[in-house]
Amino acid sequence: MAAMEKKLSSCDFLASDNNSKENYLRVIERTAKAITNSFKDSSSYSKLTPQELKKAIFVENMLPENGIGEDGLFECLEKKVLPNMLRTSSTDYMAHLHTLTLLPTIASELIIATYNQSMDSWDQSPAATEIEVETCKFLCKLYGYGENAGGCFTSGGSQSNMTSLLMARDWFCRTKLNYDVKKRGLPPEYNKFRFYTSEISHFSMEKSCHLMGLGYDSVVKVPVDSKMKMDLTALENLIAQDVKNGNIPVCAVATIGTTDYGSIDNVAEMRKICDKYGMHLHADAAYGSAVILSPDYKNRIGNLSLCDSVTVDFHKMFLMPISCSAVLAKDDANFEVFELHADYLNREEDEEAGYTNLVGKSIQTTRRFDALKVWCAFQYYGQSGYANIVNTTIGNAHYFYERLKADSAFQVFIEPEISSVVFRLDASDDVNKAVRRKLIHEDGIVIGQTVYDGKTCLKFTLLNPLVTHEKLDSLMAEIKRLGEISK
Ligand SMILES: *Cc1c(COP(=O)(O)O)cnc(C)c1O
């Protein structure tokens, strides 16, 4: 006999009838309980190896003939998925730039998913569009831009960077070569275009240049100095050499917080060089952008309003759920790259009447209402709340650096400017690698690993403001212990 299909009712959705509302509340509460129950101890991970995990999450049939329903689903989630999730809120997690998330921003995610607005046109997201527009206006002001500036939310720093490089490319071709890339494609001299960024900048630079049809060869990697900041003499020499060789400098990218070290390039000096050669200056502040909210440390990131565009990631140091990022441009007109009119979506006559259709500012069409998270967290915590978060994490990085420096079992190289500390046990690369693996599978502690000066290093990305000095001391002791037994 053919199996019965499950018949849908309003209880499968949130609708206006009471049954549906009660069911919504029940399912949300059940989900919240299942999540909180999975936080059984303070570790960040269940310790399983990749092979063990594959078994743990295995389901016989991904698409059963008849669905397993609510009880079946929760049982499956509670047994297979939730216990093995990485708990980014644990103070034992400090590997990467993704973080624990502030509760008001988790509440925002529920709102985002429930109302499911798409940001492409006003008639799909009226209030959401106005909130994103106001949030971007505020962000432009926060980073020092004037009235002509504009911004848009993106899926992350990589897309924000690509958006900026596209704006730089088209701006350069329009204003310097009198050439319309949107209409005609790349100009004949495209393979002479050059984009300058430090050798430790994010790989989204190369990726973007490839996707823009310019290739990896268009990216010039500028050496860094002993503090892992772009060497500005080298930058100017490389540009001058390129001009001499017939290449065409288009854009320079300052990294405001490198992914590994948190080191910060000097935008004031880069601005002077870019002005001299008629180049666009972009700030990749995916990591360091939150530092602006700390009166104590904001001058560390420099004056970002000197840059023509800025990448701001909210799903890193701002402690918001993935994904949440914005790209800001000093001249809103540069977003023209993405403007395209479709009869069914964003008619010009509507836009003239004041209906904003944000599809004209984005690589994406359907797009999440991520701006709500920023709006909620800024309202909830205010300037001082965020200053406190930033100060705590920078303070922790400073404390840890000093402790490592004072202990001969460790080597530490770069004084942290933000919240990342790269160090190593004074032992072989193999010992350092073994320690990181043992931390994961014996302790459920997840830390980072990178390479400095050809040597394997360990990395703490200290974005969790709940980390205490005592916690850092105990982690140091544990790393030493594991180092001893790994020799
Ligand atoms: C994280 C990061 C990116 C990439 O951002 P995503 O949000 O992961 O796409 C780019 N640049 C820097 C400096 C970063 O730290």
Side-chain angles (χ1 to χ4, degrees):
M1 216 174 82
M4 285 271 289
E5 298 163 36
K6 179 176 175 350
K7 247 181 118 169
L8 292 177
S9 74
S10 68
C11 285
D12 287 281
F13 308 94
L14 175 61
S16 60
D17 61 282
N18 281 339
N19 268 349
S20 160
K21 286 184 193 170
E22 274 163 26
N23 204 48
Y24 177 84
L25 290 170
R26 196 182 50 72
V27 171
I28 299 298
E29 194 180 328
R30 190 168 181 182
T31 308
K33 280 221 174 97
I35 293 170
T36 48
N37 285 342
S38 78
F39 281 64
K40 290 207 190 319
D41 60 43
S42 65
S43 76
S44 71
Y45 182 56
S46 62
K47 306 174 191 170
L48 299 195
T49 64
Q51 296 75 22
E52 290 164 341
L53 256 186
K54 277 190 213 312
K55 271 190 218 143
I57 57 128
F58 181 76
V59 289
E60 202 66 51
N61 193 347
M62 193 71 85
L63 183 65
E65 177 66 28
N66 294 307
I68 59 175
E70 186 179 315
D71 288 343
L73 177 63
F74 272 95
E75 196 193 320
C76 184
L77 283 171
E78 284 167 354
K79 228 167 65 200
K80 293 175 180 296
V81 182
L82 301 183
N84 297 313
M85 294 289 269
L86 184 78
R87 291 177 290 275
T88 49
S89 60
S90 162
T91 53
D92 285 344
Y93 175 73
M94 44 184 69
H96 297 280
L97 288 162
H98 305 110
T99 64
L100 70 177
T101 49
L102 297 162
L103 289 185
T105 62
I106 295 177
S108 312
E109 283 289 349
L110 183 59
I111 296 170
I112 292 166
T114 303
Y115 289 91
N116 203 32
Q117 317 282 285
S118 178
M119 304 308 299
D120 42 329
S121 66
W122 194 92
D123 60 3
Q124 299 176 79
S125 54
T129 293
E130 302 302 345
I131 288 173
E132 175 165 334
V133 168
E134 287 306 310
T135 305
C136 285
K137 255 193 213 159
F138 173 77
L139 291 172
C140 287
K141 223 168 81 190
L142 179 66
Y143 289 95
Y145 281 162
E147 286 297 309
N148 290 334
C152 189
F153 276 72
T154 74
S155 61
S158 303
Q159 191 189 138
S160 292
N161 284 341
M162 172 136 182
T163 301
S164 301
L165 297 192
L166 281 162
M167 291 197 284
R169 182 196 68 183
D170 284 19
W171 163 82
F172 186 88
C173 290
R174 189 175 66 251
T175 60
K176 313 282 170 174
L177 308 175
N178 193 24
Y179 186 94
D180 181 356
V181 177
K182 193 193 263 191
K183 184 154 174 282
R184 303 171 65 192
L186 295 175
E189 57 272 62
Y190 77 90
N191 62 355
K192 297 194 162 56
F193 286 0
R194 292 295 178 268
F195 295 72
Y196 302 82
T197 180
S198 96
E199 59 183 326
I200 56 165
S201 69
H202 193 261
F203 60 78
S204 53
M205 297 305 146
E206 283 102 316
K207 208 180 205 178
S208 298
C209 283
H210 161 48
L211 294 172
M212 293 196 298
L214 302 172
Y216 287 1
D217 285 353
S218 67
V219 180
V220 180
K221 295 291 201 137
V222 183
V224 289
D225 63 19
S226 61
K227 293 180 168 166
M228 305 310 257
K229 294 161 171 287
M230 186 187 284
D231 177 339
L232 299 164
T233 312
L235 171 66
E236 181 141 23
N237 289 342
L238 284 164
I239 295 174
Q241 193 59 44
D242 269 330
V243 171
K244 221 163 106 193
N245 295 342
N247 290 323
I248 305 172
V250 173
C251 173
V253 178
T255 309
I256 308 304
T258 55
T259 311
D260 266 345
Y261 304 95
S263 49
I264 297 166
D265 293 339
N266 184 329
V267 290
E269 291 305 315
M270 289 178 74
R271 179 76 267 171
K272 286 185 203 154
I273 296 168
C274 286
D275 282 346
K276 185 166 161 191
Y277 291 94
M279 296 160 67
H280 181 110
L281 175 59
H282 173 60
D284 177 4
Y287 180 3
S289 42
V291 177
I292 202 159
L293 296 180
S294 161
D296 295 341
Y297 295 113
K298 67 188 272 191
N299 54 16
R300 284 196 179 175
I301 60 174
N303 179 2
L304 299 189
S305 76
L306 296 173
C307 304
D308 299 295
S309 51
V310 183
T311 289
V312 182
D313 260 9
F314 295 100
H315 55 215
K316 291 180 178 169
M317 208 175 185
F318 286 94
L319 311 185
M320 298 188 196
I322 300 162
S323 55
C324 198
S325 177
V327 54
L328 310 175
K330 185 184 265 182
D331 183 358
D332 188 47
N334 282 334
F335 279 102
E336 205 274 329
V337 179
F338 308 101
E339 187 72 56
L340 189 83
H341 286 279
D343 290 336
Y344 75 93
L345 198 59
N346 55 342
R347 294 152 298 267
E348 279 172 88
E349 79 249 22
D350 286 348
E351 292 181 359
E352 278 158 21
Y355 296 88
T356 304
N357 297 312
L358 289 173
V359 69
K361 300 186 94 165
S362 178
I363 293 175
Q364 295 167 257
T365 305
T366 304
R367 192 161 58 79
R368 290 164 50 83
F369 179 27
D370 290 320
L372 182 66
K373 290 177 272 190
V374 177
W375 194 88
C376 288
F378 280 16
Q379 292 282 308
Y380 189 102
Y381 292 99
Q383 157 81 48
S384 65
Y386 263 104
N388 191 11
I389 290 170
V390 172
N391 291 350
T392 305
T393 54
I394 292 182
N396 275 341
H398 184 71
Y399 172 81
F400 188 51
Y401 170 77
E402 292 296 335
R403 293 275 298 143
L404 290 166
K405 230 173 48 171
D407 189 330
S408 63
F410 292 98
Q411 298 176 315
V412 61
F413 312 98
I414 316 281
E415 187 167 355
E417 284 187 277
I418 308 182
S419 53
S420 297
V421 187
V422 174
F423 63 100
R424 66 195 303 278
L425 277 165
D426 190 5
S428 69
D429 284 357
D430 285 343
V431 166
N432 279 280
K433 287 176 191 173
V435 165
R436 195 186 71 97
R437 286 270 177 89
K438 287 196 167 97
L439 282 169
I440 298 177
H441 300 298
E442 289 180 18
D443 296 335
I445 295 172
V446 187
I447 70 167
Q449 179 183 320
T450 188
V451 174
Y452 174 79
D453 204 14
K455 292 195 179 109
T456 298
C457 287
L458 305 172
K459 178 171 75 164
F460 277 15
T461 308
L462 292 164
L463 291 176
N464 186 338
L466 303 178
V467 170
T468 58
H469 291 180
E470 295 71 42
K471 177 76 195 176
L472 292 169
D473 291 345
S474 75
L475 286 169
M476 242 173 102
E478 177 63 1
I479 289 172
K480 259 178 33 183
R481 184 187 75 81
L482 292 175
E484 283 306 319
I485 61 169
S486 303
K487 274 179 186 162

